[in-house]
Amino acid sequence: MAGSSYGTLFRVTTWGESHGKAIGAVVDGCPAGLSLCEEDIQPFLDRRRPGQNRYTTARSESDQVEILSGVFEGKTTGTPISMIVYNKDQRSKDYSEIASYYRPGHADFCFDQKYGFRDYRGGGRSSGRETIGRVAAGAIASRVLKELGITLTAYTRSIGPVQCDPGRFQRKYIEKSSLYMPDPEAEEQAVRYLEECMKNRTSSGGVVECRAEHMRPGIGEPVFEKLDAALGKALFSIGAVKAVEIGDGTAVSAALGHENNDQFETGPNGKPQKATNHAGGILGGISDGSDLLVRVSFKPTPSVARPQTALFKDGSCREVSIRGRHDPVIVPRAVVVVESMTAITLLDLLLQNMSATMEHLHRIYS
Amino acid sequence: MAGSSYGTLFRVTTWGESHGKAIGAVVDGCPAGLSLCEEDIQPFLDRRRPGQNRYTTARSESDQVEILSGVFEGKTTGTPISMIVYNKDQRSKDYSEIASYYRPGHADFCFDQKYGFRDYRGGGRSSGRETIGRVAAGAIASRVLKELGITLTAYTRSIGPVQCDPGRFQRKYIEKSSLYMPDPEAEEQAVRYLEECMKNRTSSGGVVECRAEHMRPGIGEPVFEKLDAALGKALFSIGAVKAVEIGDGTAVSAALGHENNDQFETGPNGKPQKATNHAGGILGGISDGSDLLVRVSFKPTPSVARPQTALFKDGSCREVSIRGRHDPVIVPRAVVVVESMTAITLLDLLLQNMSATMEHLHRIYS
Amino acid sequence: MAGSSYGTLFRVTTWGESHGKAIGAVVDGCPAGLSLCEEDIQPFLDRRRPGQNRYTTARSESDQVEILSGVFEGKTTGTPISMIVYNKDQRSKDYSEIASYYRPGHADFCFDQKYGFRDYRGGGRSSGRETIGRVAAGAIASRVLKELGITLTAYTRSIGPVQCDPGRFQRKYIEKSSLYMPDPEAEEQAVRYLEECMKNRTSSGGVVECRAEHMRPGIGEPVFEKLDAALGKALFSIGAVKAVEIGDGTAVSAALGHENNDQFETGPNGKPQKATNHAGGILGGISDGSDLLVRVSFKPTPSVARPQTALFKDGSCREVSIRGRHDPVIVPRAVVVVESMTAITLLDLLLQNMSATMEHLHRIYS
Amino acid sequence: MAGSSYGTLFRVTTWGESHGKAIGAVVDGCPAGLSLCEEDIQPFLDRRRPGQNRYTTARSESDQVEILSGVFEGKTTGTPISMIVYNKDQRSKDYSEIASYYRPGHADFCFDQKYGFRDYRGGGRSSGRETIGRVAAGAIASRVLKELGITLTAYTRSIGPVQCDPGRFQRKYIEKSSLYMPDPEAEEQAVRYLEECMKNRTSSGGVVECRAEHMRPGIGEPVFEKLDAALGKALFSIGAVKAVEIGDGTAVSAALGHENNDQFETGPNGKPQKATNHAGGILGGISDGSDLLVRVSFKPTPSVARPQTALFKDGSCREVSIRGRHDPVIVPRAVVVVESMTAITLLDLLLQNMSATMEHLHRIYS
C-alpha cells in the first residue's frame, strides 16, 4: 500500500480521482530559493489538457492549478509545495452503468479484486486524470533542472504504424503539432490513421520519446538505484505503458558487441567525446554526460466504441458498448507526462548524487 | 547514494566487488517459519555460475553460498538472512592495465566521474558478479512464492537474431539447454551464431523472458508502486538491460484498441477468464490473476577481443585491446537473474498487498 | 529534505504554513473498506483548536476539515485520502516585524541558516498549525485501530510542577477538563499556576501521557523499527517536545533489576499475565500485549510577553517584545497530537506485522 | 518487517544473532574518498567488548572486525562497506534450558508471539551483540564527521542513583574509567553501588549522555525528519532504553518560558551566540550550531541471579533461576553504542541537508 509517493529526496505524492472533488500533488524536498509561481506550472498542465483537438476527449476541464503552500514571496521555501486542480466537469452519470461490470483492457477487475470494491466513476484513481499531479510536479522539477542548464524535450515518435523520420526532426514543430510530433509529414499520415481508427470505432497506440540534453555525468546510483532502473519505474508507472527502452532499446538484442559499444573519439573542440550514443547516455546505471534518451510504448486507449465482451459481477460474460468521451489515442497527451516523470527522476538522483564524495561534503560544509 | 538495497517489506541489500574478498546479500523481512538451508539456494547460484559451457567465461568460481544468520533449526526466524560467497579466483593482475583508461561500453568513465576514482579490478561493483547477491535473495523469494503455489519460469528467448519459436516451446528442455533456451532448434542456430561471433571477436545480445504462473489477482499498488513499475525498476537494475516489456510490449504501439483489449469469456470450467493475455497479466498496475509475462533485452557483452578506441585519463583517445576472460554472450547466465528479480519484486508487492483491506486486517488480528 | 512524510505502509504527508492559504494532509495506505466521513475527523481537530478557553490563543479558526479524495460511497477506497483545512484568520501584519530578527526559543534562526530565508509569518511551517494534518491523519488511524478493539487515551499529566495524582484518575473527566486533565484537583491547581504565569508574562511546560489498551502482542520490528523507536521518532517530531519516555521512563536508571523486571503471574481468570508493567508494554521493541504507555515532556511556549534578547539579521543582539496571540501553555492542545502520532505509529507497525510469518501469508493468500 | 536497516542516504543494515556464526553490518552511502581501514573501526568495537572489567560479562570475544567490500587502495569507493565479526565463544548449551520459558524483562515472549518461535540462544537477534554492527557503522560515520570537524563525546552520566557532578567533569578520564565516567569520585561511588548490586544478586540501570561539538547549523528536516525525531528513533532502537532527552529534557515541563528560552548575546569575540543551551542545540528540529546534547536512560540488566517468576510454554508461571554470564550493568558498554547511533543519525541528516537550497546545487553542479 501507500503507492502514491515517488522519489527519495525530491518526493512527489499525488492524490485524487477522476470524478472526485479535486486532483492534487504535494512536492516535498524541492530546494529552497527557486523562483516559482502558478504561471510556471500551468503551461505543463495545458499540454496534457483534453479538448485541444478532435483527437483528444471533448471533456472541457480548464485544469487551473493553484499553489497552496511552500512558496513565499515568489520563492520556494524548502517545505512541501501543495498544488490543487479542481474537477469541474464531472458528469458522473455517464459512468454509473459500468459499476456492474469489468471492462476489457481496464483496471476495473483488478481494483475490485484488490480492494473489494472500487470508485467506478471514470476509472477513479486509475484514470488518466491522475497524471495531473505528476505533470504539476514535473513542471517544478524541470524548472530546477533548467536552472542547471539541463533541458528535456519529449515528443510523439510514432502513432500506430506511423513513425517520425529522424531526418525530418523539427524541434520547433513539436508545440505546433496537434499530435506533438516533430515531423510534419508523419503528423499528416498519423492524422489520417487516426481518422481511420475513429471510423472503425477503435483506437491507436504509439511511442513517446524523451531526450535530456546538457546532462551531468555521475547521476544514478550503482546496483538498484541506477538511473535507468529509476526511469524504468517512473515510466512504467504511467498508465498504458507496456515497454520502456533506453538508447537503442530492444534493438541491442540483435546487435554485435563491437558495433553496440560507443567508441571514444577526440571531438572537434579537441575534447574527448563518444562517437555514437547507442547507450542512450547511461552506462552501469550512471549517466555518462551525453544525451539521455528514453522511449515509451503506449497501448491503444482501451475505451473503444465497439461492442466488447465484459465480465459482469454475477460471473457472466456479456457484450457491452462503452459510452462516454474517450480519446482515440492518448499518446499526444502523454508526451508531457513522460517528460515530467523523466524530469522528476533525474532531479531526484541528481540530488542524491550530491553526497557521493567527501570532496562534495567539503564543498558544502567548509 | 545508498543504492544497494531493494524492496520495502522484503528487502535485499547486496554488497561486494568482483575482485574483493567476497560477495553477499542480506535479506530482511523474509516471513518467519520458512524451511530454508544452503541447498535451497545453491541451485540458483549454479545456474548463473560461469564456466558451464564454452560460451561463458572460463573463470572457475565454485560460488558456494553460506548462510550466516536468520535461520534457526532449519527455519527462517523473521530476522535478516545474511549470505556470503567468497571470491576465490581473483587474478587481479589481469585488470591492472585498464586502470589507466575507460573502456567503450563499460561503466569505467561513469564511476570515475561520480566518485573521483574506481575499483578497476574486473569492473568492481559494476561487475556481473554483483548479481550473485540478487540470485541468492531470489532463491529465497522463489521459495516463499512456491509455498503459495506461484511458480516462475525464465528462459532465453533470443540470442542475436535467433528467436525461439513459441510453437516449439519445451519447458523441460530449458535446464538441459546450454543456453537455457526452450527450443532445441533455435538453440542449435544460436550456438552457430555465437561461434561466428567468437570467430569475429565480437559478442551478442539477446532477450530473456520470464513467466509467473498461478498468480494471485490484486498484487501491485496504484500509481507509483504498480507491479509493472516495480518490475521495470527491478529488471532495468540488472546490468546491460536496455529494454523491458510487459505482455505484448513494444508491439502495442502499432496495435488497434479492440484487438489489444483482452476480452472476457466463459472458460471450459464455466468460470470467467480472459480470452487472450496481451496485457501480460497486469492492468492498471495490478495483477489480474492471469500469467505475468515480462521480457528483457540485453546488450552484447561490451568486452570484445577486437581493438577499440578507449579514453585515457590524460584525455587522449587511443586504440586498446582488452584481454581477459569474457563471455561472448551473457544472456544465458542472466536468465536466473531475471527470474530472481521478478520473484523478489512479486513477493515484496504480495506482502504489501496484505494490508490492502480492513477485511484482511480482521483476518490477521481477530 | 522531503521530511514531511511519515510511515511506511500507512503514510502521512502533511503540508502548509501557519499563514498560507491552507493546511492539509494526504493519508496513503489506509486499508480499503473503512467507513469514513468528515464527521469522524472533525472531533479530533476540535480538540486541538485554539480559542477553547482562556489558556489557549484567542485566534478563532473554525478549522473545518474537508475530504477531497480516497472515500467513495462512505468507505475508504485504499487510495490516498486528501484532507484540507483552510486558514481563515491570518492577520499577517501581526508578524511582519519579526522578519528582521530571530526570536529566542523559536526555529527562526535555524530555518534561515538552512534555507537562506524563511516564511516568517506565524512561524511558517514550524507553526503549531502544522499539527492539523497530523491530527486529521491520526483520527483515521484511531478509527482503524478502534475497529480492531485497540483504544487510545491521552491526557495532560502535568502542567509546570502540578502533577495529576494517579489515584484520582477519572477518565471521563478528561474531556470535560479545560486542560484535558483526568484529575479535577490537579486541574484546579494548574489553572491557578497558569494564571500566575500569565500575570508574570511567562509560560509553562507540561507532560502528556498516552495509553493504548487492548493491544496485540507482536507489534514492532526488531532492531531499528522497534515499536518504541518508532514512537520515539513520532513523538519527538512534535514541536516543543524535549523528552519521550516509555513505561517507567527515566526512573529505570535508578531502579534495581529484580524490581524493574515485570514478573509473570497467573491472573484471576487463570490466564498468565504480567504482575506489573514497568516496561510500558514493550520488550525488545515488540509489544507484549499489555497496555502501551508513553509520556512526552513539552517545553514552555517560547512566545512570552516579556522583553527578550533576540538576534537581528545585522548580527546585533537587542531586546524585543513579541506581540501577538500566544498560549501560556500548549500542552492541553498537544494532547490530541500525541494521541494522533501514537495511533499513526501503532497502525503502521501493525500493518507491517501482517507479513511477519508464513502462517499469516497462508491466511491471506490461500 | 525489514526493520534491520537505518538511514536514508547513509544507510546501515545489521544482521546476526548472539550465537549464530557471525554478526555484521553493511554500510551503504558512505561518501567516496574517505580513508578507511580495520584499524579505524576496531577501537570502537573494543569499547563495547565484554570482559574489560569485573562489571561486564566474562565472555571473551575478541570481536575482530574484517572489511569485506567497499574499500579500495585504502579509500572508500562509494559502494557498500560490508563488515563481519565472527562469533567465537558461543557455548550454546548455557541457553538450552530457557527454550521452554519466557524470562521476565526479556523479549522472549514477544518474539514467540510475533514469529511463532524464536532463536532462544542468548537472546538471538535481541541480544546486546546485535549492537556490534551499529558500532562498526558508527565508527565510519564518526570518521566522516571528524573530517568536517564535528566531534562526539559520550560517557556514563549516572549508574543507579550515583550521578556525575558536572563540576568535576574530566573529559580525559572517560577512557581511563572502567565505567566510562568523566568524574572519578562518582566512579568510585558507582563501583561500590555495583558491588552491592552483585551481592544482592540484582542489577543497575543508568544514564548515558552524548555531546556533539563544532556542529553545523541547518541539520534536520522540518516536521517528521527533525534532528531530534531522528535521534529519538535511533536511540530508542538501542535495547533497554526507556527514555530519551534532548537538552534539558524532562526538566522543561516544570520550567518557565522566559527561563527556558535561550537568549542571544554578543560573545567575547564580538560574534552573536546563545547565552544558554537549554535546547540542546536543536530548535524546530533543526540544529542551531551550538552543541548537540542527548541523554538516554537504560533500564537495569534484566538477567539477574535471583529466582524470578517466568511464564512457561504450557501457560504456567513458575520460579526460575537464570544462569549464565550477565553484566550487573550494561551502561558502560552502551556508551559507544549511543555515540555510534548519534553519529550515524547526524551524518545521514547532514547528507540530506546538502540538497536543501538552489545555492547548494549550484555549488556542486556548476
Side-chain angles (χ1 to χ4, degrees):
Chain A
M1 302 202 66
S4 289
S5 289
Y6 178 74
T8 299
L9 295 185
F10 185 86
R11 190 187 293 148
V12 179
T13 301
T14 73
W15 55 268
E17 293 89 36
S18 173
H19 287 63
K21 289 185 180 173
I23 293 269
V26 181
V27 172
D28 196 11
C30 182
L34 179 77
S35 140
L36 188 77
C37 63
E38 274 100 352
E39 286 68 40
D40 298 316
I41 298 164
Q42 195 59 48
F44 275 69
L45 288 176
D46 291 347
R47 285 167 64 196
R48 76 157 291 292
R49 207 174 52 198
Q52 306 204 96
N53 60 53
R54 58 171 304 214
Y55 312 111
T56 55
T57 74
R59 177 171 169 173
S60 57
E61 293 277 1
S62 60
D63 287 350
Q64 290 296 312
V65 70
E66 186 182 352
I67 297 175
L68 296 172
S69 70
V71 177
F72 180 60
E73 297 183 342
K75 285 189 187 295
T76 56
T77 59
T79 61
I81 304 166
S82 177
M83 296 174 288
I84 194 167
V85 168
Y86 282 94
N87 289 328
K88 288 189 180 153
D89 179 23
Q90 304 174 9
R91 293 198 223 167
S92 284
K93 59 187 166 197
D94 285 355
Y95 294 96
S96 56
E97 186 187 325
I98 64 171
S100 60
Y101 61 79
Y102 308 120
R103 295 166 293 172
H106 277 280
D108 302 348
F109 176 74
C110 300
F111 267 75
D112 253 35
Q113 286 287 313
K114 186 177 189 72
Y115 296 118
F117 78 119
R118 72 186 195 281
D119 179 350
Y120 50 77
R121 300 165 305 164
R125 184 72 178 137
S126 69
S127 159
R129 278 190 73 71
E130 171 268 317
T131 60
I132 285 177
R134 300 171 184 244
V135 171
I140 298 175
S142 293
R143 201 167 166 78
V144 176
L145 292 173
K146 207 176 167 188
E147 280 241 343
L148 302 177
I150 300 172
T151 53
L152 278 74
T153 311
Y155 44 86
T156 301
R157 184 187 151 112
S158 73
I159 286 193
V162 183
Q163 305 225 13
C164 291
D165 181 337
R168 290 194 300 255
F169 186 95
Q170 295 178 41
R171 184 185 305 248
K172 291 198 173 165
Y173 189 72
I174 299 168
E175 284 171 60
K176 290 181 202 156
S177 163
S178 62
L179 299 172
Y180 291 97
M181 289 180 110
D183 168 357
E185 284 188 40
E187 187 200 18
E188 208 184 302
Q189 287 176 269
V191 162
R192 279 198 299 272
Y193 181 75
L194 289 175
E195 307 257 351
E196 199 66 26
C197 286
M198 289 169 80
K199 204 181 297 170
N200 295 326
R201 292 184 298 165
T202 190
S203 60
S204 173
V207 172
V208 173
E209 198 162 71
C210 182
R211 180 183 293 273
E213 290 167 296
H214 313 296
M215 279 289 293
R216 296 295 187 288
I219 309 305
E221 304 300 320
V223 186
F224 296 115
E225 299 294 330
K226 289 183 162 104
L227 176 51
D228 30 8
L231 287 167
K233 181 174 194 175
L235 297 171
F236 266 118
S237 78
I238 304 171
V241 169
K242 300 306 280 187
V244 173
E245 301 171 272
I246 308 284
D248 282 6
T250 56
V252 298
S253 71
L256 292 171
H258 68 285
E259 289 168 0
N260 184 257
N261 285 346
D262 299 310
Q263 308 291 316
F264 289 97
E265 66 178 15
T266 304
N269 55 2
K271 285 195 178 165
Q273 61 184 33
K274 279 163 58 187
T276 52
N277 189 14
H278 298 296
I282 308 177
L283 283 167
I286 303 174
S287 67
D288 64 10
S290 53
D291 289 359
L292 178 72
L293 193 71
V294 298
R295 210 156 40 251
V296 182
S297 298
F298 285 87
K299 72 175 185 179
T301 322
S303 293
V304 293
R306 295 187 180 217
Q308 298 189 97
T309 311
L311 172 61
F312 281 72
K313 287 201 160 182
D314 62 9
S316 67
C317 298
R318 301 205 303 270
E319 244 185 29
V320 297
S321 285
I322 298 163
R323 276 166 289 177
R325 306 150 299 185
H326 303 289
D327 298 353
V329 69
I330 58 157
V331 171
R333 293 176 60 193
V335 166
V336 69
V337 183
V338 168
E339 187 178 316
S340 294
M341 290 309 299
T342 304
I344 291 167
T345 303
L346 200 48
L347 176 56
D348 190 37
L349 284 169
L350 189 138
L351 297 183
Q352 288 183 53
N353 181 58
M354 292 181 77
S355 55
T357 65
M358 289 304 298
E359 194 269 323
H360 282 192
L361 265 74
H362 284 295
R363 252 196 268 174
I364 298 293
Y365 288 112
S366 60
Chain B
M1 302 201 64
S4 289
S5 290
Y6 178 74
T8 299
L9 295 185
F10 185 86
R11 190 188 291 146
V12 179
T13 301
T14 74
W15 55 268
E17 292 90 36
S18 174
H19 287 62
K21 290 185 180 173
I23 293 269
V26 181
V27 172
D28 196 10
C30 182
L34 179 77
S35 141
L36 188 76
C37 64
E38 274 99 352
E39 286 67 41
D40 297 316
I41 298 163
Q42 194 59 48
F44 274 70
L45 288 175
D46 291 347
R47 285 167 64 196
R48 74 157 293 292
R49 208 174 51 196
Q52 306 205 96
N53 61 53
R54 58 171 305 213
Y55 313 109
T56 54
T57 73
R59 178 170 167 174
S60 58
E61 295 276 0
S62 61
D63 287 351
Q64 289 297 311
V65 70
E66 186 182 353
I67 296 175
L68 296 171
S69 70
V71 177
F72 180 60
E73 298 182 340
K75 286 189 186 296
T76 56
T77 59
T79 60
I81 304 166
S82 177
M83 295 173 288
I84 193 166
V85 168
Y86 282 94
N87 289 328
K88 289 190 178 152
D89 178 24
Q90 303 174 9
R91 294 197 222 168
S92 284
K93 59 186 170 208
D94 286 355
Y95 293 95
S96 57
E97 187 187 324
I98 64 171
S100 60
Y101 61 80
Y102 308 120
R103 294 166 294 171
H106 276 280
D108 302 348
F109 176 74
C110 299
F111 267 75
D112 253 35
Q113 287 287 314
K114 185 176 189 73
Y115 296 118
F117 77 119
R118 74 186 193 281
D119 179 349
Y120 49 77
R121 301 164 305 163
R125 184 74 178 135
S126 69
S127 160
R129 277 190 74 69
E130 171 267 318
T131 60
I132 285 177
R134 301 171 183 243
V135 171
I140 298 175
S142 294
R143 201 169 166 75
V144 177
L145 292 174
K146 208 177 166 187
E147 280 241 343
L148 302 178
I150 300 171
T151 53
L152 278 75
T153 311
Y155 44 85
T156 301
R157 184 187 151 113
S158 73
I159 287 194
V162 182
Q163 305 224 12
C164 290
D165 181 337
R168 290 193 301 254
F169 186 94
Q170 295 179 39
R171 184 185 305 247
K172 291 200 172 163
Y173 190 73
I174 299 169
E175 285 171 60
K176 292 182 202 155
S177 163
S178 62
L179 299 173
Y180 291 97
M181 289 179 110
D183 168 357
E185 282 188 42
E187 187 200 19
E188 207 184 302
Q189 285 175 271
V191 163
R192 280 198 299 272
Y193 181 75
L194 290 175
E195 306 258 350
E196 201 66 25
C197 285
M198 289 169 81
K199 204 182 297 170
N200 295 327
R201 291 184 299 166
T202 191
S203 59
S204 174
V207 172
V208 174
E209 199 161 70
C210 182
R211 179 182 293 273
E213 289 165 296
H214 312 296
M215 279 289 294
R216 294 295 187 289
I219 310 305
E221 304 300 321
V223 185
F224 296 116
E225 298 295 329
K226 289 184 162 103
L227 176 51
D228 33 7
L231 287 167
K233 181 174 195 175
L235 297 171
F236 266 118
S237 79
I238 304 171
V241 169
K242 301 306 280 186
V244 173
E245 300 171 272
I246 308 285
D248 282 5
T250 56
V252 298
S253 72
L256 292 171
H258 68 286
E259 290 168 357
N260 184 256
N261 286 345
D262 298 311
Q263 308 291 317
F264 289 96
E265 66 178 16
T266 305
N269 56 1
K271 286 194 179 167
Q273 61 184 34
K274 279 164 57 187
T276 52
N277 189 13
H278 298 296
I282 308 177
L283 283 167
I286 302 174
S287 67
D288 64 11
S290 54
D291 288 358
L292 178 71
L293 192 72
V294 299
R295 211 156 39 252
V296 182
S297 299
F298 285 87
K299 71 175 187 179
T301 321
S303 293
V304 293
R306 295 187 180 217
Q308 296 189 97
T309 311
L311 173 61
F312 281 71
K313 286 202 160 183
D314 63 8
S316 66
C317 297
R318 300 204 305 270
E319 243 184 29
V320 296
S321 286
I322 298 162
R323 277 167 289 177
R325 307 150 299 184
H326 303 289
D327 298 352
V329 68
I330 58 156
V331 171
R333 293 177 60 194
V335 167
V336 70
V337 183
V338 168
E339 187 178 315
S340 294
M341 291 309 299
T342 304
I344 292 167
T345 303
L346 201 46
L347 177 57
D348 190 37
L349 284 168
L350 189 137
L351 297 183
Q352 288 183 54
N353 181 58
M354 293 180 76
S355 55
T357 64
M358 289 304 297
E359 194 270 322
H360 283 193
L361 264 73
H362 283 295
R363 252 196 268 175
I364 298 293
Y365 288 112
S366 60
Chain C
M1 303 202 63
S4 290
S5 289
Y6 178 75
T8 299
L9 296 184
F10 185 86
R11 191 187 291 146
V12 179
T13 301
T14 73
W15 54 268
E17 292 90 34
S18 174
H19 287 63
K21 289 186 181 174
I23 293 268
V26 181
V27 171
D28 197 10
C30 182
L34 178 78
S35 140
L36 188 77
C37 63
E38 274 100 351
E39 286 68 40
D40 297 315
I41 298 163
Q42 194 60 46
F44 275 69
L45 289 175
D46 291 347
R47 285 166 64 196
R48 73 156 292 293
R49 207 172 54 196
Q52 307 205 96
N53 59 53
R54 60 172 303 216
Y55 312 108
T56 55
T57 74
R59 178 171 168 173
S60 57
E61 293 276 3
S62 59
D63 288 350
Q64 289 297 311
V65 69
E66 187 181 352
I67 296 176
L68 296 171
S69 70
V71 177
F72 181 60
E73 297 182 342
K75 285 189 187 295
T76 56
T77 60
T79 60
I81 304 166
S82 178
M83 295 173 288
I84 194 167
V85 168
Y86 283 94
N87 288 329
K88 288 188 177 152
D89 177 24
Q90 303 174 11
R91 294 199 223 166
S92 284
K93 60 187 164 191
D94 285 355
Y95 293 95
S96 55
E97 186 187 325
I98 64 171
S100 59
Y101 61 82
Y102 308 121
R103 294 166 294 171
H106 277 280
D108 302 348
F109 176 73
C110 300
F111 267 75
D112 253 34
Q113 287 286 313
K114 185 177 189 73
Y115 296 118
F117 77 120
R118 75 186 193 281
D119 179 349
Y120 49 77
R121 301 164 305 164
R125 184 73 178 137
S126 69
S127 159
R129 277 189 74 70
E130 171 268 316
T131 60
I132 285 177
R134 302 169 183 242
V135 171
I140 298 175
S142 293
R143 202 168 165 75
V144 176
L145 292 174
K146 208 177 166 187
E147 280 241 345
L148 302 177
I150 300 171
T151 53
L152 278 74
T153 310
Y155 44 87
T156 301
R157 184 187 151 110
S158 73
I159 286 194
V162 182
Q163 306 223 13
C164 290
D165 181 338
R168 290 193 301 254
F169 187 94
Q170 294 179 39
R171 185 186 305 246
K172 291 199 171 163
Y173 190 73
I174 299 169
E175 285 170 59
K176 291 181 201 156
S177 163
S178 62
L179 299 174
Y180 291 97
M181 288 179 112
D183 169 357
E185 282 188 41
E187 187 200 19
E188 208 183 303
Q189 287 176 270
V191 163
R192 280 198 299 272
Y193 180 75
L194 290 174
E195 307 260 349
E196 200 66 23
C197 285
M198 289 171 80
K199 204 182 296 170
N200 296 326
R201 291 185 297 168
T202 191
S203 59
S204 172
V207 172
V208 174
E209 199 161 70
C210 182
R211 180 182 292 274
E213 288 165 297
H214 312 296
M215 279 288 295
R216 295 295 187 291
I219 310 305
E221 304 301 320
V223 185
F224 296 117
E225 299 294 331
K226 290 184 163 102
L227 176 51
D228 32 7
L231 287 168
K233 181 174 193 175
L235 297 171
F236 266 119
S237 79
I238 305 171
V241 169
K242 302 305 280 187
V244 173
E245 301 172 271
I246 308 284
D248 282 6
T250 56
V252 298
S253 71
L256 292 172
H258 68 285
E259 289 168 357
N260 184 256
N261 286 344
D262 299 310
Q263 308 291 317
F264 289 96
E265 66 178 15
T266 305
N269 56 1
K271 286 193 178 167
Q273 62 185 32
K274 280 163 57 189
T276 53
N277 189 14
H278 298 295
I282 308 177
L283 283 167
I286 303 174
S287 66
D288 64 10
S290 53
D291 289 358
L292 178 73
L293 193 72
V294 298
R295 210 157 39 253
V296 182
S297 298
F298 286 87
K299 71 176 186 180
T301 323
S303 294
V304 293
R306 297 187 180 216
Q308 296 189 98
T309 311
L311 172 61
F312 281 73
K313 287 202 159 182
D314 63 9
S316 66
C317 298
R318 300 203 304 270
E319 243 185 30
V320 296
S321 286
I322 299 161
R323 275 166 291 177
R325 306 151 298 184
H326 304 290
D327 297 352
V329 68
I330 58 157
V331 171
R333 293 177 59 193
V335 167
V336 70
V337 182
V338 168
E339 187 178 316
S340 294
M341 291 308 299
T342 304
I344 292 167
T345 302
L346 201 47
L347 177 56
D348 190 36
L349 284 169
L350 189 138
L351 297 183
Q352 289 184 52
N353 181 58
M354 292 181 77
S355 55
T357 65
M358 289 304 297
E359 194 269 322
H360 283 192
L361 265 74
H362 284 295
R363 253 196 268 174
I364 297 293
Y365 288 112
S366 60
Chain D
M1 303 201 64
S4 289
S5 289
Y6 178 74
T8 299
L9 295 184
F10 185 85
R11 190 188 292 147
V12 179
T13 301
T14 73
W15 54 268
E17 293 89 36
S18 174
H19 287 64
K21 289 184 179 172
I23 293 268
V26 181
V27 172
D28 196 10
C30 182
L34 178 77
S35 141
L36 187 77
C37 64
E38 273 99 352
E39 286 68 41
D40 298 316
I41 298 163
Q42 194 59 48
F44 275 69
L45 288 175
D46 291 346
R47 286 166 64 195
R48 77 156 290 292
R49 207 172 56 195
Q52 306 205 97
N53 60 53
R54 58 170 305 213
Y55 312 109
T56 56
T57 75
R59 178 172 168 173
S60 57
E61 294 277 0
S62 60
D63 287 349
Q64 290 297 311
V65 70
E66 187 182 352
I67 296 175
L68 295 172
S69 69
V71 177
F72 181 61
E73 297 182 342
K75 286 188 186 298
T76 57
T77 59
T79 60
I81 303 167
S82 176
M83 295 174 287
I84 194 167
V85 168
Y86 282 94
N87 288 329
K88 287 185 179 157
D89 178 23
Q90 302 174 9
R91 293 198 224 165
S92 284
K93 60 186 164 194
D94 284 354
Y95 294 94
S96 56
E97 187 187 324
I98 65 171
S100 59
Y101 60 80
Y102 309 120
R103 295 166 293 171
H106 278 279
D108 302 348
F109 175 74
C110 300
F111 267 74
D112 254 34
Q113 286 287 314
K114 185 177 189 74
Y115 296 119
F117 76 120
R118 73 185 194 281
D119 180 348
Y120 50 77
R121 301 165 305 164
R125 184 74 177 136
S126 69
S127 160
R129 278 190 74 71
E130 171 268 317
T131 60
I132 285 177
R134 301 170 184 244
V135 171
I140 298 175
S142 293
R143 203 170 164 75
V144 176
L145 292 174
K146 208 177 166 187
E147 280 241 343
L148 302 177
I150 300 171
T151 53
L152 278 73
T153 310
Y155 45 85
T156 301
R157 184 187 151 111
S158 72
I159 286 194
V162 182
Q163 305 224 13
C164 291
D165 181 338
R168 289 193 301 253
F169 186 94
Q170 294 180 40
R171 183 185 306 247
K172 291 198 172 165
Y173 190 72
I174 299 169
E175 285 171 59
K176 290 181 202 156
S177 163
S178 63
L179 299 173
Y180 291 97
M181 288 180 111
D183 168 356
E185 281 188 42
E187 186 200 19
E188 209 184 300
Q189 287 176 269
V191 162
R192 279 199 299 271
Y193 180 76
L194 290 174
E195 307 258 350
E196 201 66 25
C197 285
M198 289 170 80
K199 204 181 298 169
N200 295 326
R201 293 185 298 167
T202 192
S203 60
S204 173
V207 173
V208 174
E209 198 162 71
C210 183
R211 179 182 293 273
E213 289 166 296
H214 312 296
M215 280 288 295
R216 296 293 188 290
I219 310 305
E221 303 301 321
V223 185
F224 296 116
E225 299 294 330
K226 289 183 162 104
L227 177 51
D228 31 8
L231 287 168
K233 181 173 195 175
L235 298 171
F236 266 118
S237 79
I238 305 171
V241 169
K242 301 305 281 186
V244 174
E245 301 172 89
I246 308 284
D248 282 6
T250 56
V252 299
S253 71
L256 292 171
H258 68 285
E259 289 168 358
N260 184 257
N261 285 344
D262 298 311
Q263 308 291 318
F264 290 96
E265 66 178 15
T266 305
N269 56 1
K271 286 195 179 166
Q273 62 184 33
K274 279 164 57 188
T276 52
N277 188 15
H278 298 296
I282 308 177
L283 283 167
I286 303 173
S287 67
D288 65 10
S290 53
D291 289 358
L292 177 72
L293 192 71
V294 298
R295 210 156 42 253
V296 182
S297 297
F298 285 87
K299 71 175 185 181
T301 322
S303 293
V304 294
R306 294 187 182 217
Q308 297 189 96
T309 311
L311 173 61
F312 281 72
K313 286 203 160 181
D314 62 10
S316 67
C317 298
R318 299 203 305 271
E319 243 184 31
V320 297
S321 286
I322 299 161
R323 276 166 289 177
R325 308 150 299 186
H326 303 289
D327 298 352
V329 69
I330 58 157
V331 171
R333 293 177 60 192
V335 166
V336 70
V337 182
V338 168
E339 186 178 316
S340 294
M341 291 309 299
T342 304
I344 292 167
T345 303
L346 200 47
L347 177 56
D348 190 38
L349 284 169
L350 189 138
L351 297 183
Q352 289 183 52
N353 182 57
M354 292 181 76
S355 55
T357 65
M358 290 303 299
E359 194 269 324
H360 283 191
L361 264 74
H362 284 295
R363 253 195 267 175
I364 297 293
Y365 288 113
S366 60

